[in-house]
Amino acid sequence: MRLLLAPMEGVVDFQMRQILTDIGGLDACVTEFLRICEQRLPRRVFIKLCPELEQQSKTQANTPVAFQLLGGNAEAMAYNAAKAASLGAHSIDLNFGCPAKTVNRNDGGAKLLQEPQRVHNIVKAVRSAVPRDIDVTAKIRLGFKDRSLGLDNALAIAEGGAQQLVVHARSKADGYRPPAYWSELRPLREQLSIPVIANGEIWSPEDLRRCAEQSGCVDFMIGRGLLARPDLALQIKNPDQHIPWQWNNILPILHSFFKKGLTQYPEKYCGNRLKQWFMYLQRSYPEAEMFFNKLKRLRNRIEIEDLFIQQAIAHDINLDYGNDR
């Protein structure tokens, strides 16, 4: 069984990939998408999105990182895929699943699932543009307005030459509303000769087991579930050995995450990424909800640092050990 960290735009950036792969249990991850129109992008754009290109396309935990592209122009996608490969990407991932309205209005993401032939053409163009030792993979939803073209798009991708397909088991119209239609992945897995990886609504080891039973898949991609439970991959991979983390395990990592992000944003935005992560953590940890109720009103570094210290004292937690992660 392989577990992959899902690419979440504006959430799973370089720092988040580093933290979650350091914790362990993940076999691969994917960058946020690089949006491609008709331009040929310079090296600095690729490196900014994926600093791991300068370390053999791996996180510091030695976890492989695929470089993700999004767009509807086959020629431009092919050129920029070749550019990413020349900079060290070991795998090119194509986004046909993003449900965001802005992306869909600009001929990208899930909108393309209405035209399986275009999906095929993009995959084929990218496959032809990069060396054979570079994997080309793709991520889709089961459809756009409904789930009727799921198999057509999956076959289009496989026949275009992709080595792997991740399927989010909902349509664009379904959004992120439960349930995920895991059983609808089984026909895709049975008819494709390439691996089909299940994605969507996996929040716990129990969810993963039900997903496996219904979909027949043996590999899985998890996004929001790992943000809600940072050690979820370890819980899944080592159910008998791993003791699920408590708040004393989580708070030092959050503190480290906050401090590392201080140089990236102006002072008034210094807590935004932390607040974003707490939106998911509240699902698993009562302490996160209490922390967030205080955090959401704070606007500067000193106030947030003081809140961490107060919480560490209240829960008898040592914040220092998370700083090396």
Side-chain angles (χ1 to χ4, degrees):
M1 176 178 62
R2 291 182 299 150
L3 295 180
L4 285 67
L5 172 60
M8 297 175 63
E9 176 66 8
V11 181
V12 182
D13 62 359
F14 167 70
Q15 287 188 350
M16 187 63 76
R17 293 194 294 272
Q18 178 176 310
I19 286 172
L20 293 178
T21 58
D22 277 353
I23 289 170
L26 290 166
D27 298 287
C29 50
V30 185
T31 67
E32 299 167 274
F33 64 73
L34 180 60
R35 190 180 307 208
I36 304 299
C37 296
E38 297 182 3
Q39 74 273 47
R40 297 187 172 192
L41 297 170
R43 178 182 184 276
R44 59 180 170 76
V45 174
F46 291 83
I47 300 299
K48 181 179 180 180
L49 183 73
C50 183
E52 295 98 337
L53 287 171
E54 297 186 320
Q55 50 194 48
Q56 299 181 313
S57 285
K58 295 180 179 179
T59 68
Q60 68 179 19
N62 209 37
T63 306
V65 182
F67 196 99
Q68 183 188 184
L69 301 176
L70 176 148
N73 183 307
E75 181 180 355
M77 290 283 280
Y79 173 84
N80 286 286
K83 179 75 171 182
S86 73
L87 294 173
H90 64 78
S91 180
I92 305 296
D93 188 67
L94 305 178
N95 182 323
F96 300 112
C98 180
K101 292 180 180 179
T102 302
V103 168
N104 294 166
R105 281 198 302 266
N106 289 278
D107 200 34
K111 175 183 181 292
L112 296 168
L113 298 176
Q114 299 173 105
E115 304 176 77
Q117 186 59 50
R118 285 189 68 198
V119 170
H120 171 87
N121 293 344
I122 292 169
V123 174
K124 185 176 180 181
V126 170
R127 177 67 277 171
S128 298
V130 300
R132 296 305 302 181
D133 63 337
I134 304 293
D135 282 348
V136 174
T137 65
K139 185 172 188 285
I140 66 171
R141 284 179 171 245
L142 285 170
F144 189 72
K145 293 181 179 179
D146 57 37
R147 299 185 297 278
S148 61
L149 292 178
L151 180 57
D152 290 342
N153 280 298
L155 290 170
I157 286 168
E159 292 166 2
Q163 278 70 55
Q164 173 180 286
L165 175 64
V166 175
V167 185
H168 185 126
R170 286 182 272 229
S171 70
K172 187 269 182 189
D174 292 326
Y176 292 95
R177 295 185 303 275
Y181 299 91
W182 296 324
S183 63
E184 296 189 25
L185 303 184
R186 186 174 287 275
L188 279 61
R189 182 174 182 271
E190 291 174 347
Q191 296 196 46
L192 267 63
S193 59
I194 62 174
V196 174
I197 299 172
N199 173 236
E201 215 62 27
I202 298 174
W203 298 94
S204 67
E206 294 74 23
D207 289 336
L208 186 135
R209 284 192 287 271
R210 291 190 297 111
C211 177
E213 291 169 0
Q214 295 178 32
S215 68
C217 292
V218 296
D219 300 319
F220 307 88
M221 176 175 275
I222 307 174
R224 294 175 299 158
L226 277 162
L227 294 174
R229 296 189 187 188
D231 65 328
L232 178 57
L234 290 177
Q235 293 182 41
I236 291 168
K237 287 284 187 71
N238 305 288
D240 297 326
Q241 291 81 32
H242 178 71
I243 299 173
W245 280 5
Q246 303 301 314
W247 190 238
N248 65 306
N249 303 107
I250 302 294
L251 190 66
I253 293 174
L254 295 170
H255 184 236
S256 177
F257 177 70
F258 168 66
K259 293 207 299 184
K260 288 177 179 177
L262 288 175
T263 59
Q264 291 185 285
Y265 306 101
E267 174 82 5
K268 63 181 178 179
Y269 302 128
C270 69
N272 285 13
R273 295 299 306 281
L274 186 65
K275 294 172 186 178
Q276 184 181 48
W277 195 356
F278 266 88
M279 295 300 293
Y280 297 98
L281 288 165
Q282 293 178 87
R283 183 183 177 108
S284 303
Y285 303 97
E287 299 92 340
E289 182 177 1
M290 293 184 285
F291 191 109
F292 181 68
N293 286 336
K294 297 179 180 179
L295 174 66
K296 63 186 178 183
R297 294 188 291 270
L298 305 183
R299 294 291 181 270
N300 69 65
R301 177 186 62 80
I302 294 175
E303 290 177 334
I304 296 173
E305 184 71 36
D306 285 346
L307 177 59
F308 270 109
I309 293 171
Q310 293 167 18
Q311 291 292 304
I313 293 172
H315 295 279
D316 193 23
I317 296 172
N318 181 2
L319 293 178
D320 292 333
Y321 82 82
N323 294 339
D324 295 329
R325 288 185 179 273

